[in-house]
Amino acid sequence: MRLVIARCSVDYAGRLTAHLPSAPRLILVKADGSVSIHADDRAYKPLNWMSPPCTLKEGDGEQKDVWTVTNKGGEKLIITMEEILHDSSHELGVDPGLIKDGVEAHLQELLADRIETLGEGYTLIRREYMTAIGPVDILCRDAEGRTVAVEIKRRGEIDGVEQLTRYLDLLNRDPHLAPVRGIFAAQEIKPQARVLATDRGIGCQVLDYDAMRGIEDDKLRLF
């Protein structure tokens, strides 16, 4: 991760335009290629950002103090540096990911055991499928043999959709798995998260925790 504190102005050019006037800001450049601009008064939420995959070009001809971040859709985040106050890079390594609470961990275990909850013909590849940016909760195949990545949350919010999006982008680079589609599974899925998931082609699955715990194994039934 690269941390840059600089007095800068920022312009976004894409489906809409936005301008941040000159001010001291924190710029985060992460190993996944994402770039985000932060102020000191907004908790974790950036003022502006560009999600991967994107490219960062520092300087262009005479404009050596201009950073241009471009995504695959051609949208640009243009950062005009006036004064760099700090610039450092740190190797964080592979993050083990957020440790799920008891309910989420149990949901993962239940769903892996009864993968047909997602649909007829689904088969499990494995739980906690490790990637370079953390483990995918469940990797499975649908009835047509296509790879499906499942992210499980107790409460499904936008952050979970963003997390699954990053996994899908990475998994779809693997020719042995691609094409990979995603399912966002939770006990409750917030409307905003559902809209974002649908826009990105990610399916949503509401999980009934009590019903899944109460499903009886009928393998030993006589009638």
Side-chain angles (χ1 to χ4, degrees):
M1 178 182 291
R2 184 178 177 187
L3 308 175
V4 178
I5 299 175
R7 178 173 291 278
C8 62
S9 60
V10 184
D11 292 277
Y12 173 82
R15 288 169 290 181
L16 48 82
T17 58
H19 175 72
L20 293 172
S22 176
R25 298 188 175 93
L26 168 65
I27 303 166
L28 297 183
V29 183
K30 294 187 178 181
D32 64 1
S34 64
V35 178
S36 56
I37 316 296
H38 296 261
D40 202 18
D41 63 346
R42 299 171 189 271
Y44 67 90
K45 188 175 182 180
L47 296 165
N48 214 327
W49 69 94
M50 192 71 80
S51 299
C54 57
T55 58
L56 168 61
K57 186 175 183 180
E58 298 183 40
D60 186 8
E62 296 180 356
Q63 296 181 308
K64 295 182 179 179
D65 297 327
V66 176
W67 290 14
T68 303
V69 187
T70 309
N71 67 11
K72 63 181 180 181
E75 298 171 306
K76 293 184 178 181
L77 194 64
I78 301 168
I79 308 169
T80 303
M81 302 290 190
E82 298 173 14
E83 180 184 9
I84 294 179
L85 306 172
H86 175 85
D87 189 347
S88 64
S89 297
H90 308 270
E91 182 59 53
L92 302 185
V94 177
D95 191 272
L98 182 68
I99 298 175
K100 294 180 175 294
D101 66 21
V103 172
E104 287 186 6
H106 199 201
L107 277 171
Q108 183 191 112
E109 182 181 349
L110 287 169
L111 187 57
D113 186 54
R114 302 182 183 276
I115 199 68
E116 68 277 3
T117 301
L118 298 175
E120 186 177 352
Y122 274 70
T123 56
L124 178 69
I125 297 176
R126 66 167 299 167
R127 291 171 54 193
E128 298 288 330
Y129 183 88
M130 186 56 66
T131 74
I133 57 174
V136 177
D137 287 337
I138 289 179
L139 199 68
C140 58
R141 296 193 188 279
D142 63 16
E144 286 73 44
R146 296 171 297 189
T147 311
V148 181
V150 185
E151 178 63 27
I152 300 171
K153 299 292 184 186
R154 186 165 56 87
R155 181 179 294 107
E157 301 188 25
I158 285 177
D159 286 352
V161 179
E162 293 284 7
Q163 182 180 359
L164 179 54
T165 300
R166 292 192 293 272
Y167 287 143
L168 290 171
D169 179 66
L170 194 64
L171 292 169
N172 273 300
R173 300 178 197 176
D174 186 339
H176 298 292
L177 298 175
V180 184
R181 64 183 183 90
I183 293 179
F184 188 49
Q187 287 180 279
E188 173 193 2
I189 299 177
K190 298 293 186 180
Q192 300 94 328
R194 187 180 291 274
V195 169
L196 181 61
T198 301
D199 181 66
R200 295 184 176 180
I202 294 172
C204 291
Q205 178 84 30
V206 176
L207 301 176
D208 187 329
Y209 182 49
D210 292 332
M212 291 176 71
R213 285 190 301 171
I215 294 176
E216 295 181 0
D217 191 345
D218 59 4
K219 292 184 177 66
L220 299 179
R221 284 187 177 183
L222 298 177
F223 55 92

